[in-house]
Short mmCIF file of all heavy atoms in Angstrom, two decimals:
data_model
loop_
_atom_site.label_atom_id
_atom_site.label_comp_id
_atom_site.label_asym_id
_atom_site.label_seq_id
_atom_site.Cartn_x
_atom_site.Cartn_y
_atom_site.Cartn_z
N SER P 123 216.48 123.22 194.77
CA SER P 123 217.66 122.41 195.25
C SER P 123 218.77 122.46 194.26
O SER P 123 219.96 122.17 194.60
CB SER P 123 217.19 121.01 195.70
OG SER P 123 216.63 120.34 194.58
N MET P 126 221.42 124.67 195.02
CA MET P 126 221.91 124.53 196.50
C MET P 126 223.08 123.52 196.64
O MET P 126 223.00 122.55 195.75
CB MET P 126 220.67 123.98 197.36
CG MET P 126 219.64 125.05 197.51
SD MET P 126 220.20 126.27 198.70
CE MET P 126 218.71 127.25 198.94
N VAL P 128 223.52 120.68 197.71
CA VAL P 128 222.88 119.46 198.33
C VAL P 128 223.89 118.42 198.79
O VAL P 128 223.88 118.01 199.94
CB VAL P 128 221.89 118.88 197.33
CG1 VAL P 128 221.34 117.49 197.99
CG2 VAL P 128 220.82 119.86 196.96
N LEU P 132 224.57 117.02 202.64
CA LEU P 132 224.28 115.53 202.93
C LEU P 132 225.55 114.99 203.34
O LEU P 132 225.68 114.11 204.33
CB LEU P 132 223.69 114.87 201.68
CG LEU P 132 222.36 115.29 201.29
CD1 LEU P 132 221.96 114.64 199.96
CD2 LEU P 132 221.33 115.20 202.33
N ARG P 136 226.39 113.10 206.94
CA ARG P 136 227.17 111.76 207.16
C ARG P 136 228.38 111.95 208.06
O ARG P 136 228.64 110.99 209.04
CB ARG P 136 227.72 111.15 205.75
CG ARG P 136 226.52 110.90 204.84
CD ARG P 136 226.90 109.84 203.62
NE ARG P 136 227.45 110.68 202.63
CZ ARG P 136 226.93 111.25 201.53
NH1 ARG P 136 225.46 111.30 201.61
NH2 ARG P 136 227.53 112.04 200.80
N SER P 139 227.14 112.04 211.43
CA SER P 139 226.71 110.65 211.96
C SER P 139 227.88 109.71 212.27
O SER P 139 227.76 108.75 213.13
CB SER P 139 225.82 109.98 210.96
OG SER P 139 226.44 109.40 209.90
N ARG P 140 229.07 110.05 211.75
CA ARG P 140 230.21 109.30 212.04
C ARG P 140 231.03 109.82 213.40
O ARG P 140 231.22 109.02 214.26
CB ARG P 140 231.19 109.21 210.87
CG ARG P 140 230.75 108.29 209.86
CD ARG P 140 231.98 107.97 208.92
NE ARG P 140 231.37 107.09 207.69
CZ ARG P 140 230.92 107.68 206.73
NH1 ARG P 140 230.92 109.02 206.48
NH2 ARG P 140 230.32 106.85 205.72
N GLY P 143 228.10 110.87 216.23
CA GLY P 143 226.86 110.10 216.16
C GLY P 143 226.16 110.07 217.43
O GLY P 143 224.83 110.13 217.54
N LEU P 144 226.84 109.89 218.61
CA LEU P 144 226.11 109.83 219.95
C LEU P 144 225.48 111.08 220.24
O LEU P 144 224.48 111.10 220.87
CB LEU P 144 227.12 109.30 220.98
CG LEU P 144 227.13 107.89 221.18
CD1 LEU P 144 227.96 107.48 222.39
CD2 LEU P 144 225.70 107.29 221.50
N SER P 146 224.28 113.13 218.16
CA SER P 146 223.12 113.31 217.33
C SER P 146 221.98 112.39 217.93
O SER P 146 220.70 112.57 217.56
CB SER P 146 223.30 113.18 215.93
OG SER P 146 223.51 111.69 215.63
N TRP P 147 222.42 111.29 218.42
CA TRP P 147 221.46 110.39 219.09
C TRP P 147 220.63 110.78 220.19
O TRP P 147 219.38 110.67 220.30
CB TRP P 147 222.17 109.11 219.55
CG TRP P 147 221.25 107.95 220.05
CD1 TRP P 147 220.81 107.84 221.29
CD2 TRP P 147 220.85 106.91 219.20
NE1 TRP P 147 219.99 106.61 221.28
CE2 TRP P 147 220.01 106.10 220.01
CE3 TRP P 147 220.99 106.49 217.87
CZ2 TRP P 147 219.37 104.90 219.59
CZ3 TRP P 147 220.44 105.48 217.44
CH2 TRP P 147 219.49 104.62 218.33
N HIS P 148 221.26 111.61 220.96
CA HIS P 148 220.54 112.13 222.25
C HIS P 148 219.76 113.35 222.15
O HIS P 148 219.89 114.14 221.16
CB HIS P 148 221.56 112.28 223.48
CG HIS P 148 222.24 111.08 223.73
ND1 HIS P 148 221.54 109.96 224.40
CD2 HIS P 148 223.54 110.70 223.77
CE1 HIS P 148 222.38 109.01 224.68
NE2 HIS P 148 223.58 109.38 224.24
N TYR P 149 218.82 113.51 223.03
CA TYR P 149 218.13 114.84 223.25
C TYR P 149 219.04 116.01 223.22
O TYR P 149 219.97 115.85 223.98
CB TYR P 149 217.25 114.91 224.53
CG TYR P 149 216.02 114.07 224.63
CD1 TYR P 149 215.98 113.02 225.48
CD2 TYR P 149 214.92 114.37 223.72
CE1 TYR P 149 214.77 112.24 225.62
CE2 TYR P 149 213.70 113.52 223.91
CZ TYR P 149 213.77 112.53 224.86
OH TYR P 149 212.57 111.80 224.91
N ASN P 182 211.74 124.41 215.31
CA ASN P 182 211.53 123.60 214.21
C ASN P 182 211.26 124.57 213.15
O ASN P 182 209.97 124.85 212.73
CB ASN P 182 210.39 122.66 214.47
CG ASN P 182 210.85 121.55 215.40
OD1 ASN P 182 211.73 120.71 215.09
ND2 ASN P 182 210.30 121.51 216.54
N MET P 185 208.47 128.99 211.34
CA MET P 185 207.11 128.96 211.57
C MET P 185 206.83 128.67 213.02
O MET P 185 206.06 129.19 213.71
CB MET P 185 206.40 127.84 210.70
CG MET P 185 204.91 128.04 210.66
SD MET P 185 204.48 129.55 209.78
CE MET P 185 202.69 129.20 209.53
N GLU P 186 207.69 127.66 213.54
CA GLU P 186 207.59 127.46 215.01
C GLU P 186 207.98 128.69 215.87
O GLU P 186 207.30 128.95 216.82
CB GLU P 186 208.37 126.31 215.54
CG GLU P 186 208.28 125.98 216.95
CD GLU P 186 208.87 124.67 217.55
OE1 GLU P 186 210.02 124.69 217.72
OE2 GLU P 186 208.05 123.73 217.68
N GLU P 189 205.01 131.05 215.75
CA GLU P 189 203.83 130.55 216.46
C GLU P 189 204.23 130.72 218.03
O GLU P 189 203.25 131.03 218.72
CB GLU P 189 203.57 129.15 216.07
CG GLU P 189 202.11 128.84 216.34
CD GLU P 189 201.93 127.69 217.14
OE1 GLU P 189 203.03 127.21 217.84
OE2 GLU P 189 200.77 127.10 217.41
N ARG P 193 202.03 133.11 220.50
CA ARG P 193 201.25 132.54 221.67
C ARG P 193 201.79 132.99 222.90
O ARG P 193 200.93 133.20 223.94
CB ARG P 193 201.54 130.98 221.73
CG ARG P 193 200.78 130.13 220.67
CD ARG P 193 201.14 128.75 220.54
NE ARG P 193 200.75 128.08 221.59
CZ ARG P 193 201.13 126.71 221.98
NH1 ARG P 193 202.06 126.21 221.19
NH2 ARG P 193 200.58 126.17 223.05
N VAL P 218 194.27 130.54 212.84
CA VAL P 218 194.19 129.19 213.77
C VAL P 218 194.27 129.51 215.22
O VAL P 218 193.61 128.85 215.99
CB VAL P 218 195.19 128.28 213.19
CG1 VAL P 218 195.28 127.01 214.11
CG2 VAL P 218 194.92 127.80 211.70
N LEU P 219 195.07 130.54 215.55
CA LEU P 219 195.19 130.87 216.91
C LEU P 219 194.06 131.84 217.44
O LEU P 219 194.06 132.21 218.64
CB LEU P 219 196.65 131.60 217.25
CG LEU P 219 197.74 130.66 216.99
CD1 LEU P 219 199.05 131.44 217.29
CD2 LEU P 219 197.84 129.45 217.68
N LEU P 321 218.98 127.23 202.82
CA LEU P 321 219.66 125.98 202.77
C LEU P 321 218.74 124.81 202.47
O LEU P 321 218.09 124.60 201.41
CB LEU P 321 220.56 125.80 203.82
CG LEU P 321 221.88 124.74 203.55
CD1 LEU P 321 222.65 125.36 202.37
CD2 LEU P 321 222.66 124.57 204.86
N MET P 322 218.33 124.11 203.59
CA MET P 322 217.68 122.87 203.47
C MET P 322 216.33 122.85 204.15
O MET P 322 216.35 122.74 205.36
CB MET P 322 218.66 121.81 204.04
CG MET P 322 218.01 120.34 203.93
SD MET P 322 219.19 119.18 204.53
CE MET P 322 218.21 117.65 204.58
N PRO P 323 215.28 122.95 203.44
CA PRO P 323 213.99 123.09 204.22
C PRO P 323 213.53 121.76 204.91
O PRO P 323 213.02 121.83 205.95
CB PRO P 323 212.90 123.26 202.97
CG PRO P 323 213.61 123.04 201.65
CD PRO P 323 215.06 123.11 202.06
N GLY P 324 214.00 120.66 204.40
CA GLY P 324 213.57 119.30 205.10
C GLY P 324 214.10 119.04 206.40
O GLY P 324 213.61 118.21 207.13
N ARG P 326 214.00 121.28 208.72
CA ARG P 326 213.27 122.00 209.58
C ARG P 326 214.05 122.57 210.96
O ARG P 326 213.84 122.27 211.95
CB ARG P 326 212.20 121.14 210.26
CG ARG P 326 211.30 120.32 209.32
CD ARG P 326 210.54 121.15 208.25
NE ARG P 326 209.68 122.14 208.90
CZ ARG P 326 209.94 123.41 208.64
NH1 ARG P 326 210.80 123.98 207.93
NH2 ARG P 326 209.12 124.35 209.27
N GLU P 341 209.70 127.92 227.94
CA GLU P 341 208.61 127.14 228.74
C GLU P 341 207.66 126.43 227.69
O GLU P 341 207.44 125.22 227.65
CB GLU P 341 207.94 127.91 229.65
CG GLU P 341 207.08 127.26 230.66
CD GLU P 341 206.37 128.29 231.59
OE1 GLU P 341 205.48 129.04 231.12
OE2 GLU P 341 206.67 128.20 232.74
N LEU P 342 207.18 127.32 226.75
CA LEU P 342 206.23 126.74 225.74
C LEU P 342 206.88 125.86 224.77
O LEU P 342 206.31 124.86 224.42
CB LEU P 342 205.66 128.05 224.97
CG LEU P 342 204.26 127.85 224.36
CD1 LEU P 342 203.20 127.39 225.37
CD2 LEU P 342 203.81 129.13 223.67
N VAL P 345 207.24 122.36 226.41
CA VAL P 345 205.96 121.42 226.45
C VAL P 345 205.33 121.30 225.02
O VAL P 345 204.57 120.35 224.79
CB VAL P 345 204.84 122.13 227.24
CG1 VAL P 345 205.31 122.33 228.77
CG2 VAL P 345 204.29 123.38 226.64
N SER P 346 205.95 122.02 224.05
CA SER P 346 205.44 121.80 222.65
C SER P 346 206.09 120.53 222.04
O SER P 346 205.49 119.80 221.32
CB SER P 346 205.69 122.97 221.77
OG SER P 346 204.86 123.99 222.24
N ASN P 347 207.41 120.42 222.29
CA ASN P 347 208.07 119.23 221.62
C ASN P 347 209.35 119.00 222.36
O ASN P 347 210.26 118.42 221.66
CB ASN P 347 208.21 119.33 220.22
CG ASN P 347 208.64 120.76 219.74
OD1 ASN P 347 209.83 121.25 220.16
ND2 ASN P 347 207.98 121.47 218.88
N THR P 349 212.35 119.56 222.63
CA THR P 349 213.56 120.29 221.96
C THR P 349 213.58 119.96 220.52
O THR P 349 212.86 119.14 220.04
CB THR P 349 214.93 119.69 222.72
OG1 THR P 349 216.00 120.50 222.16
CG2 THR P 349 215.18 118.19 222.41
N ALA P 351 215.38 118.52 216.96
CA ALA P 351 216.32 117.43 216.67
C ALA P 351 217.69 117.91 216.69
O ALA P 351 218.09 118.88 216.28
CB ALA P 351 215.84 116.88 215.20
N SER P 352 218.67 116.96 216.99
CA SER P 352 220.03 117.20 217.19
C SER P 352 220.79 117.29 216.02
O SER P 352 221.63 118.23 215.81
CB SER P 352 220.52 116.17 218.20
OG SER P 352 219.74 116.01 219.34
N MET T 126 221.24 100.28 222.67
CA MET T 126 220.43 100.69 221.43
C MET T 126 221.34 100.32 220.21
O MET T 126 222.60 100.48 220.20
CB MET T 126 220.17 102.01 221.39
CG MET T 126 219.08 102.42 222.42
SD MET T 126 217.42 101.72 221.79
CE MET T 126 216.46 102.44 223.07
N VAL T 128 222.71 101.82 217.80
CA VAL T 128 223.11 103.13 217.45
C VAL T 128 223.86 103.15 216.02
O VAL T 128 223.38 103.95 215.19
CB VAL T 128 224.21 103.83 218.47
CG1 VAL T 128 224.64 105.14 217.99
CG2 VAL T 128 223.43 103.95 219.87
N LEU T 132 222.43 104.92 212.55
CA LEU T 132 223.26 106.11 211.98
C LEU T 132 223.70 105.66 210.57
O LEU T 132 223.69 106.61 209.63
CB LEU T 132 224.54 106.40 212.83
CG LEU T 132 224.23 106.97 214.23
CD1 LEU T 132 225.60 107.27 215.02
CD2 LEU T 132 223.51 108.29 214.13
N ARG T 136 222.94 107.53 206.85
CA ARG T 136 223.76 107.73 205.75
C ARG T 136 223.30 107.12 204.52
O ARG T 136 223.40 107.74 203.52
CB ARG T 136 225.29 107.05 206.17
CG ARG T 136 225.87 107.81 207.39
CD ARG T 136 227.40 107.42 207.39
NE ARG T 136 227.62 106.01 208.01
CZ ARG T 136 227.69 105.85 209.36
NH1 ARG T 136 227.58 106.86 210.14
NH2 ARG T 136 227.86 104.63 209.73
N SER T 139 220.80 109.44 203.06
CA SER T 139 221.36 110.63 202.58
C SER T 139 222.11 110.35 201.20
O SER T 139 222.23 111.25 200.43
CB SER T 139 222.48 111.11 203.60
OG SER T 139 223.66 110.59 203.38
N ARG T 140 222.33 109.26 201.02
CA ARG T 140 222.95 108.84 199.74
C ARG T 140 221.89 108.54 198.59
O ARG T 140 221.80 109.16 197.66
CB ARG T 140 223.85 107.58 199.83
CG ARG T 140 225.25 107.94 200.38
CD ARG T 140 226.14 106.94 200.03
NE ARG T 140 227.45 107.23 200.80
CZ ARG T 140 227.71 106.81 202.03
NH1 ARG T 140 226.76 106.18 202.78
NH2 ARG T 140 228.85 107.21 202.62
N GLY T 143 218.55 111.27 199.21
CA GLY T 143 219.10 112.60 199.64
C GLY T 143 218.20 113.78 199.24
O GLY T 143 217.76 114.56 200.09
N SER T 146 215.00 113.85 201.34
CA SER T 146 215.39 114.26 202.74
C SER T 146 215.57 115.79 202.64
O SER T 146 215.36 116.46 203.66
CB SER T 146 216.51 113.58 203.40
OG SER T 146 217.70 114.02 202.88
N TRP T 147 216.00 116.32 201.57
CA TRP T 147 216.21 117.75 201.37
C TRP T 147 215.04 118.51 201.49
O TRP T 147 214.83 119.66 202.11
CB TRP T 147 216.99 117.97 200.07
CG TRP T 147 217.36 119.40 199.93
CD1 TRP T 147 216.53 120.48 199.43
CD2 TRP T 147 218.59 120.01 200.29
NE1 TRP T 147 217.33 121.61 199.46
CE2 TRP T 147 218.51 121.44 200.00
CE3 TRP T 147 219.78 119.48 200.79
CZ2 TRP T 147 219.64 122.20 200.25
CZ3 TRP T 147 220.89 120.32 201.06
CH2 TRP T 147 220.67 121.68 200.82
N HIS T 148 213.90 118.05 200.87
CA HIS T 148 212.71 118.81 200.81
C HIS T 148 211.77 118.84 201.94
O HIS T 148 211.89 117.79 202.85
CB HIS T 148 211.93 118.38 199.56
CG HIS T 148 212.71 118.80 198.22
ND1 HIS T 148 212.92 120.01 197.90
CD2 HIS T 148 213.24 118.01 197.28
CE1 HIS T 148 213.64 120.08 196.80
NE2 HIS T 148 213.83 118.90 196.37
N TYR T 149 210.83 119.69 202.01
CA TYR T 149 209.73 119.58 202.97
C TYR T 149 208.97 118.34 202.73
O TYR T 149 208.71 118.03 201.66
CB TYR T 149 208.79 120.79 202.74
CG TYR T 149 209.08 122.10 203.16
CD1 TYR T 149 209.22 123.12 202.00
CD2 TYR T 149 209.20 122.51 204.45
CE1 TYR T 149 209.58 124.40 202.49
CE2 TYR T 149 209.53 123.82 204.74
CZ TYR T 149 209.66 124.74 203.73
OH TYR T 149 209.97 126.09 204.10
N ASN T 182 206.74 116.06 215.95
CA ASN T 182 208.21 116.14 216.56
C ASN T 182 208.04 115.49 217.88
O ASN T 182 207.95 116.16 218.97
CB ASN T 182 208.43 117.53 216.71
CG ASN T 182 208.84 118.25 215.34
OD1 ASN T 182 209.72 117.89 214.67
ND2 ASN T 182 207.97 119.16 215.09
N MET T 185 205.55 114.38 222.69
CA MET T 185 205.17 115.54 223.36
C MET T 185 204.33 116.55 222.42
O MET T 185 203.33 117.20 222.76
CB MET T 185 206.37 116.26 223.92
CG MET T 185 205.99 117.38 225.00
SD MET T 185 205.42 116.56 226.49
CE MET T 185 205.69 117.89 227.66
N GLU T 186 204.83 116.63 221.18
CA GLU T 186 204.01 117.47 220.28
C GLU T 186 202.69 116.95 219.98
O GLU T 186 201.60 117.65 219.86
CB GLU T 186 204.75 117.76 218.98
CG GLU T 186 203.86 118.54 217.95
CD GLU T 186 204.65 118.99 216.67
OE1 GLU T 186 204.75 118.25 215.80
OE2 GLU T 186 205.22 120.04 216.74
N GLU T 189 200.47 117.69 222.94
CA GLU T 189 200.19 119.09 223.08
C GLU T 189 199.18 119.56 222.05
O GLU T 189 198.30 120.36 222.24
CB GLU T 189 201.61 119.97 222.99
CG GLU T 189 201.34 121.35 223.61
CD GLU T 189 201.61 122.50 222.60
OE1 GLU T 189 201.65 122.19 221.42
OE2 GLU T 189 201.70 123.69 223.06
N ARG T 193 195.53 121.08 222.79
CA ARG T 193 195.10 122.38 222.28
C ARG T 193 193.85 122.20 221.43
O ARG T 193 193.02 123.13 221.39
CB ARG T 193 196.15 122.91 221.58
CG ARG T 193 197.25 123.44 222.42
CD ARG T 193 198.58 123.75 221.53
NE ARG T 193 198.34 125.00 220.80
CZ ARG T 193 198.98 125.58 219.75
NH1 ARG T 193 200.04 124.76 219.45
NH2 ARG T 193 198.65 126.56 219.22
N VAL T 218 201.31 124.83 231.55
CA VAL T 218 201.57 125.93 230.56
C VAL T 218 200.44 126.36 229.73
O VAL T 218 200.29 127.47 229.33
CB VAL T 218 202.86 125.55 229.80
CG1 VAL T 218 203.15 126.41 228.57
CG2 VAL T 218 204.08 125.40 230.73
N LEU T 219 199.55 125.36 229.38
CA LEU T 219 198.36 125.68 228.55
C LEU T 219 197.16 126.16 229.35
O LEU T 219 196.21 126.52 228.73
CB LEU T 219 197.94 124.39 227.65
CG LEU T 219 198.90 123.77 226.73
CD1 LEU T 219 198.31 122.65 225.98
CD2 LEU T 219 199.44 124.82 225.71
N SER T 318 211.17 107.89 220.69
CA SER T 318 212.14 108.48 221.58
C SER T 318 212.56 107.56 222.67
O SER T 318 213.68 107.62 223.19
CB SER T 318 211.64 109.66 222.19
OG SER T 318 211.33 110.73 221.16
N LEU T 321 213.79 103.90 220.39
CA LEU T 321 214.88 103.94 219.49
C LEU T 321 215.85 105.20 219.82
O LEU T 321 216.61 105.24 220.59
CB LEU T 321 214.65 103.89 218.03
CG LEU T 321 215.63 103.46 217.14
CD1 LEU T 321 216.21 102.06 217.51
CD2 LEU T 321 215.31 103.34 215.67
N MET T 322 215.58 106.33 219.07
CA MET T 322 216.49 107.43 219.05
C MET T 322 215.88 108.82 219.50
O MET T 322 215.12 109.45 218.67
CB MET T 322 217.08 107.59 217.67
CG MET T 322 218.25 108.74 217.47
SD MET T 322 218.79 108.68 215.78
CE MET T 322 219.77 110.29 215.84
N PRO T 323 216.10 109.16 220.67
CA PRO T 323 215.37 110.46 221.04
C PRO T 323 215.79 111.63 220.27
O PRO T 323 214.87 112.63 220.10
CB PRO T 323 215.80 110.58 222.70
CG PRO T 323 216.97 109.62 222.80
CD PRO T 323 216.81 108.61 221.77
N GLY T 324 217.04 111.81 219.96
CA GLY T 324 217.60 112.92 219.18
C GLY T 324 216.94 113.22 217.90
O GLY T 324 217.08 114.29 217.33
N ARG T 326 213.69 113.22 217.30
CA ARG T 326 212.42 113.88 217.61
C ARG T 326 211.28 113.42 216.63
O ARG T 326 210.82 114.31 215.88
CB ARG T 326 212.49 115.36 217.63
CG ARG T 326 213.59 116.00 218.29
CD ARG T 326 213.64 115.69 219.86
NE ARG T 326 212.35 116.12 220.46
CZ ARG T 326 211.51 115.22 221.01
NH1 ARG T 326 211.72 113.88 221.05
NH2 ARG T 326 210.36 115.44 221.54
N GLU T 341 195.59 121.17 210.94
CA GLU T 341 195.65 122.73 210.78
C GLU T 341 196.56 123.08 211.78
O GLU T 341 197.47 124.03 211.52
CB GLU T 341 194.22 123.12 211.04
CG GLU T 341 193.97 124.61 210.59
CD GLU T 341 192.57 124.99 210.95
OE1 GLU T 341 192.05 125.01 212.18
OE2 GLU T 341 191.90 125.27 209.96
N LEU T 342 196.52 122.77 213.05
CA LEU T 342 197.29 123.31 214.12
C LEU T 342 198.71 122.99 213.92
O LEU T 342 199.76 123.64 214.12
CB LEU T 342 196.88 122.71 215.51
CG LEU T 342 197.25 123.60 216.57
CD1 LEU T 342 196.84 125.10 216.46
CD2 LEU T 342 196.53 123.11 217.91
N VAL T 345 200.41 125.21 211.32
CA VAL T 345 200.80 126.62 211.72
C VAL T 345 201.83 126.55 212.79
O VAL T 345 202.47 127.49 213.05
CB VAL T 345 199.71 127.43 212.10
CG1 VAL T 345 198.64 127.52 210.94
CG2 VAL T 345 199.00 127.17 213.36
N SER T 346 202.06 125.32 213.38
CA SER T 346 203.00 125.15 214.46
C SER T 346 204.36 125.07 213.87
O SER T 346 205.30 125.70 214.46
CB SER T 346 202.73 124.01 215.30
OG SER T 346 201.46 124.34 216.05
N ASN T 347 204.58 124.31 212.82
CA ASN T 347 205.85 124.12 212.25
C ASN T 347 205.77 123.54 210.89
O ASN T 347 206.92 123.03 210.38
CB ASN T 347 206.72 123.41 213.18
CG ASN T 347 206.10 122.14 213.76
OD1 ASN T 347 205.64 121.32 212.94
ND2 ASN T 347 206.04 121.91 214.99
N THR T 349 205.64 121.15 208.92
CA THR T 349 205.76 119.67 208.94
C THR T 349 207.02 119.16 209.74
O THR T 349 207.85 119.99 210.23
CB THR T 349 205.85 119.33 207.32
OG1 THR T 349 205.92 117.75 207.36
CG2 THR T 349 207.14 119.80 206.77
N ALA T 351 210.63 117.18 210.17
CA ALA T 351 211.80 116.88 209.25
C ALA T 351 211.70 115.52 208.59
O ALA T 351 211.15 114.61 209.07
CB ALA T 351 212.96 116.92 210.20
N SER T 352 212.19 115.61 207.27
CA SER T 352 212.03 114.44 206.42
C SER T 352 212.99 113.33 206.72
O SER T 352 212.54 112.17 206.71
CB SER T 352 212.27 114.99 204.98
OG SER T 352 211.63 116.02 204.67
#
Side-chain angles (χ1 to χ4, degrees):
Chain P
S123 57
M126 288 290 186
V128 174
L132 294 176
R136 293 195 284 273
S139 84
R140 283 201 187 86
L144 265 185
S146 76
W147 185 273
H148 292 299
Y149 287 113
N182 293 295
M185 196 67 164
E186 176 169 88
E189 203 239 12
R193 289 171 66 196
V218 171
L219 297 182
L321 202 62
M322 180 176 170
R326 309 300 307 116
E341 190 180 68
L342 203 53
V345 304
S346 295
N347 47 54
T349 183
S352 309
Chain T
M126 288 292 185
V128 174
L132 294 177
R136 292 195 285 272
S139 82
R140 282 200 188 86
S146 75
W147 184 274
H148 292 297
Y149 288 112
N182 293 294
M185 196 67 163
E186 176 169 87
E189 203 239 11
R193 288 171 67 197
V218 171
L219 297 183
S318 299
L321 201 61
M322 180 176 171
R326 311 300 308 115
E341 190 179 67
L342 204 52
V345 303
S346 294
N347 47 54
T349 182
S352 309

